[in-house]
């Protein structure tokens, strides 16, 4: 009965490849997020998305794109992976009005 | 723009003792939410405690409590009776009621528990 799940937990890939990370929440929340946590543990919001709008952090390269097939899923696609993309990526969700965000377990992406 | 500052990169405490982690923030808003999240070595981000700015009473969750000083824009986390399982990175976060849902994060404080 995991609330927010992500797959895979670990992803090792070569530069230039395209990869996806999946996120699912079973909390019935209406908003989902993607964060990037760098090696210094700093958390940076990449996207927030609900059924009304996608908000993109303007510093995120357009090689990153979120895809939401339905309210419970927000997948992250990354094209042409670069060494600097190596990080831990967290998915989170919240319900508008409640404000608290609940996080997935994170995906450690390593680009070689 | 809002900012969150955690001035202690690392803190250590003896098991069973009490430790306080500091967090200050800057905002011109009068209503907002504040959070403490914990990230143990497993890297899972876990909500520890949450405070609504309009509430004067400090939030408490078992051994975790906050000292919320709205005028001073301070939101410290007190952990009583520290346990080995409390060892983690602790992040303070701010959320505006008017934001596009995003949290503003501090840089984190690494808490070490000495047995």
């Amino acid at each position: 009965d995991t609330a927010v799940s992500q797959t895979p937990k670990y992803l090792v890939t070569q530069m230039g490849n395209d990869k996806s990370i999946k996120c699912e929440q079973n909390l019935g929340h209406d908003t989902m997020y993607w964060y990037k946590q760098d090696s210094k543990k700093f958390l940076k919001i990449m996207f927030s998305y609900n059924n009304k709008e996608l908000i993109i952090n303007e510093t995120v390269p357009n090689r990153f794109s979120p895809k939401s097939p339905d309210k419970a899923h927000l997948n992250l696609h990354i094209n042409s992976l670069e060494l600097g993309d190596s990080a831990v990526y967290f998915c989170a969700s919240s319900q508008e009005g409640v404000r608290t965000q609940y996080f997935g377990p994170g995906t450690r992406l390593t680009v070689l | 723009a809002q900012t969150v500052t955690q001035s202690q990169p690392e803190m250590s405490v003896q098991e069973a003792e009490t430790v306080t982690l500091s967090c200050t923030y800057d905002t011109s808003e009068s209503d907002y939410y504040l959070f403490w999240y914990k990230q143990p070595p497993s890297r899972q981000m876990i909500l520890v405690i949450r405070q609504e700015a309009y509430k004067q009473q400090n939030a408490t969750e078992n051994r975790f409590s906050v000292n919320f000083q709205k005028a001073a824009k301070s939101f410290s986390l007190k952990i009583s009776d520290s346990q080995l399982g409390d060892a983690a990175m602790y992040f303070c976060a701010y959320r505006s009621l008017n934001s596009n849902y995003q949290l503003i994060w501090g840089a984190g404080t690494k808490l070490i528990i000495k047995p």
Side-chain angles (χ1 to χ4, degrees):
Chain A
D1 56 344
T2 304
V4 184
S5 59
Q6 293 178 230
T7 52
K9 288 204 165 77
Y10 299 92
L11 183 54
V12 181
T13 188
Q14 299 286 330
M15 271 175 52
N17 284 350
D18 302 338
K19 289 293 177 186
S20 295
I21 306 172
K22 294 185 177 180
C23 177
E24 177 181 3
Q25 55 94 4
N26 62 7
L27 297 167
H29 288 168
D30 60 6
T31 306
M32 296 182 75
Y33 312 81
W34 277 105
Y35 286 89
K36 178 181 180 181
Q37 186 177 43
D38 62 24
S39 58
K40 294 184 179 176
K41 302 291 187 183
F42 187 73
L43 275 156
K44 172 183 163 184
I45 182 74
M46 300 179 72
F47 306 100
S48 62
Y49 183 81
N50 67 13
N51 56 7
K52 299 169 194 166
E53 61 182 336
L54 169 67
I55 298 171
I56 302 170
N57 184 328
E58 61 188 15
T59 67
V60 174
N62 58 15
R63 299 180 294 104
F64 291 79
S65 57
K67 299 268 194 279
S68 180
D70 54 57
K71 262 180 62 171
H73 297 83
L74 184 65
N75 304 325
L76 182 65
H77 296 270
I78 317 168
N79 295 325
S80 304
L81 277 155
E82 300 177 358
L83 294 176
D85 297 333
S86 295
V88 179
Y89 291 84
F90 285 98
C91 177
S93 72
S94 70
Q95 180 64 31
E96 188 171 356
V98 178
R99 315 291 177 176
T100 302
Q101 293 183 17
Y102 295 90
F103 284 77
T107 296
R108 180 176 293 281
L109 171 65
T110 303
V111 182
L112 303 175
Chain B
Q2 297 91 2
T3 58
V4 176
T5 303
Q6 292 179 250
S7 58
Q8 306 150 318
E10 187 174 296
M11 292 278 287
S12 62
V13 64
Q14 206 71 38
E15 193 177 3
E17 293 188 348
T18 296
V19 64
T20 298
L21 309 183
S22 67
C23 172
T24 58
Y25 57 94
D26 189 25
T27 184
S28 57
E29 298 177 332
S30 59
D31 209 2
Y32 45 85
Y33 291 80
L34 294 163
F35 304 87
W36 278 99
Y37 282 86
K38 165 185 174 181
Q39 186 178 35
S42 66
R43 79 166 180 255
Q44 175 81 48
M45 291 288 286
I46 302 165
L47 176 69
V48 175
I49 203 163
R50 143 191 164 139
Q51 175 83 41
E52 291 92 337
Y54 66 86
K55 289 187 178 176
Q56 293 187 345
Q57 187 172 7
N58 289 327
T60 299
E61 287 287 340
N62 301 314
R63 297 182 296 107
F64 298 86
S65 61
V66 298
N67 183 4
F68 173 48
Q69 302 287 329
K70 191 172 183 180
K73 297 178 184 172
S74 170
F75 182 60
S76 59
L77 176 69
K78 185 170 92 170
I79 307 174
S80 304
D81 185 26
S82 299
Q83 299 175 0
L84 294 177
D86 296 333
M89 284 288 290
Y90 285 81
F91 293 93
C92 178
Y94 170 101
R95 174 151 174 191
S96 164
L97 291 186
N98 301 317
S99 78
N100 51 6
Y101 318 117
Q102 71 167 286
L103 291 170
I104 311 296
W105 296 87
T109 296
K110 182 177 180 180
L111 179 63
I112 298 167
I113 311 293
K114 298 176 187 174

